[in-house]
Amino acid sequence: MTVTGKTTLTPYFISTITWVLASPFLYGFHIAALNQVQSALQCFKTVSEEPSPPYITAPITDGFPVCIPMSNATFGFVTSVFTIGGLLGSLSSTHLMNKYGRKGAVKFNSGFILAGSLLMTIAWNSGLLIAGRFIIGIGAGIAMCVGPIFLSEIAPQKIKGSVGVMNQLSVVFGLLLAQAIGLAFSTPDTHRWRVVFLTSSVLCLAQLLLSAGVADTPNWLTAVGRETEADDIASKLWRDHSPGSQRSPRPQHEALHAEAQSLLAEGADGEDDGRSTSSRNETTIPPLSVVDLFKLEPLRKPVTAVLLAMFGQQISGINAGNNAILSRVMPGAEGYISLGIAILNAIMTFPAVYLIERLGRRSLLLGSMLAVEISLIALALGLNGGVIALSTVAILAFVGSFAIGLGPVPFVLIGELVPFYAASATSSLALSVNWITNFVVGVGFLPLRDWLSSEDPTKPNGRKGEGQIFFLFAGAFAVTALLFAKEYRK
C-alpha cells in the first residue's frame, strides 16, 4: 500500500496498528458494556421499612445466579467506578510507557481489562461487579493514553492524522459491538448477559497472545539505546524508507530540544541529574514529568491546547442524557435508540479519516466545535419550547458534529503538538482531565438540570425549562472553544 511517492506501508504495519487499535476498541466496548444489560443483570430488592431489607435470592443456573441483587444506587456505582479506575490508569500511564515502552503499556492495559472482565463474567454479587468494573477502568485509562501515542509514532508523516483518527474510530466500533451484543443477550431470567464480559475477556486474551509478533515503536527503542533494532522495525513498517527517517527531530520542535536538555541537565535543584544532553534528537532526551511540562515555556501553549480540547470533549455534554431525551420520541425502545446513536457515531467518524489531512487539524476541529455549539443551542431551545422534532434533530446533529472532529482530533493532537519526550506526560495529564470532567458532568447533570428547571404536570416525564442545562453546556463549551482557538494557531 503506497501512501506517498516514497513510502510504502507493509503488512507488518497493518497488523501492528490492528493490534494497537484493540486497546481503544476495548475502552469503547466497556463504555457501553452495561447499557443494554441492566434489566437482565440487575435483581431489584424490595424497599422495606426494616433497617436492613433483605435482598432477593437470585435463581442459580449452571452454577451462576441469573442476576445480581442490587439497588439502582448500587448499579449506578458499578457504572461510575469505571471512571475512577480510568483516572487512576491515566495517572499511572506515564510511568508505564516510559519504563516498559509503548508495547509494555498496551500489555498492561490488556491485562487489567482481562482480569476485570473475568471477574464480571463470573460475578455472583455486586462486590465482584464493582471490583471488576474498577479494574477494567484502570486498563481503559492506560489504553486511551498509550493508543494515540503508539499510532502517532509508527505512522508515516503524510498519513499521521488519518491513522490517529482510527483511535476514535476503534472506540466507536467497540461501543457499537457492546451495544449489539448487549441487546442480543439481555434476556431476562438467564445469565446470558455474561456473554458481554466473556467477549471482552476473549479479545483481551487474543491481544496478549498476539503481542509476541509486535515490536515497540522505533522512537521508544531509540530512546532506550536500541537504535539498530529501531532501524529494523522502521524498515519493516515502511518500505523504501531510509532507516531512522521517521525518527528524525520534527522541525517545529527543534528549538525546544535545547531548552529541554538544559532543564534536565540542571535538575530541579540546579545540579546535574546525570541525564544525557549530548544530542538534539528528541528521542535521546529523557522523558519529562508532568511538572516539567509547565517549566518549559515553548511547551505551555501546545499542552494547554491539548488540555482544552480534552476538556471540551466532555464539557460539551456529549454523554449527558441524549438517550433519555430521544426515548420520549420512541417510548420503550431505549435499547434500539442507544444502538442507533452508536451507529450514527461510527458513520460520522469515517469522514474524519479523509478530512483531517485535507482540511487540517485546526480547521476540522474548530468546524466541529462550531457545529456542536449550534446543536447545543438548538437542543436547549427545543427542550424549553417542547418541540420534540427540533430536540431530536439537534441531538442527532450534536452526535454527528462531535464524531467528525471533536471526538477524534484531540487524540491526534497528543502525539503531534509535543515532542517525543513530552508525549507520555502530556497524554497522562490530558486523559486525566478528560476522565475528571466526564465524572463531574455525569454526577452533576441531573442535580443541575433539576435545579435549573421545575416540574411541569402538563409534560409526562418532562420538566419546565429542561433545556436550561444545555444552555449552560453551550456557554461553557463556547468559552473552551475560544480559548482553544487562541492557544492552537498552527
Side-chain angles (χ1 to χ4, degrees), residues 459-472:
K459 296 181 180 179
N461 301 319
R463 301 179 64 87
K464 184 178 181 180
E466 189 177 8
Q468 298 300 106
I469 183 67
F470 290 98
F471 278 129
L472 184 62

Side-chain angles (χ1 to χ4, degrees), residues 60 121 131 155 374:
I60 305 295
T121 301
I374 294 171

Side-chain angles (χ1 to χ4, degrees), residues 108-229:
F108 268 104
N109 95 241
S110 191
F112 274 113
I113 297 178
L114 173 60
S117 297
L118 287 174
L119 273 179
M120 296 190 77
T121 301
I122 65 170
W124 60 86
N125 59 43
S126 59
L128 286 177
L129 284 178
I130 291 168
R133 183 77 170 163
F134 175 72
I135 294 170
I136 289 170
I138 295 174
I142 299 169
M144 291 310 289
C145 287
V146 68
I149 292 178
F150 203 126
L151 294 174
S152 178
E153 290 179 4
I154 66 172
Q157 191 66 36
K158 290 289 185 180
I159 59 167
K160 198 176 286 288
S162 296
V163 171
V165 168
M166 292 182 184
N167 181 81
Q168 182 67 11
L169 195 59
S170 187
V171 170
V172 297
F173 271 103
L175 192 152
L176 182 58
L177 180 64
Q179 297 272 21
I181 294 177
L183 195 60
F185 288 92
S186 58
T187 309
D189 301 322
T190 71
H191 51 63
R192 296 179 70 208
W193 54 268
R194 298 177 187 272
V195 172
V196 174
F197 307 107
L198 183 61
T199 300
S200 171
S201 303
V202 171
L203 291 173
C204 290
L205 184 60
Q207 187 181 32
L208 285 171
L209 293 175
L210 292 172
S211 66
V214 177
D216 219 306
T217 69
N219 282 17
W220 186 81
L221 292 170
T222 300
V224 295
R226 295 156 62 179
E227 294 191 5
T228 301
E229 186 179 350

Side-chain angles (χ1 to χ4, degrees), residues 367-400:
S368 170
M369 285 178 161
L370 177 60
V372 165
E373 180 70 17
I374 294 171
S375 301
L376 282 171
I377 294 172
L379 176 57
L381 292 172
L383 290 173
N384 280 349
V387 184
I388 295 177
L390 177 59
S391 302
T392 302
V393 171
I395 288 176
L396 297 178
F398 182 19
V399 172

Side-chain angles (χ1 to χ4, degrees), residues 328 383 449-450 453-467:
R328 297 176 197 169
L383 290 173
R449 185 203 66 176
D450 293 346
S453 61
S454 58
E455 293 185 7
D456 187 349
T458 65
K459 296 181 180 179
N461 301 319
R463 301 179 64 87
K464 184 178 181 180
E466 189 177 8

Side-chain angles (χ1 to χ4, degrees), residues 77 81 116 141 235 249 272 297 320 350 388 392 399 420 432:
F77 186 69
V81 77
S235 64
D272 188 348
E297 185 178 355
F350 272 106
I388 295 177
T392 302
V399 172
F420 170 82
S432 297

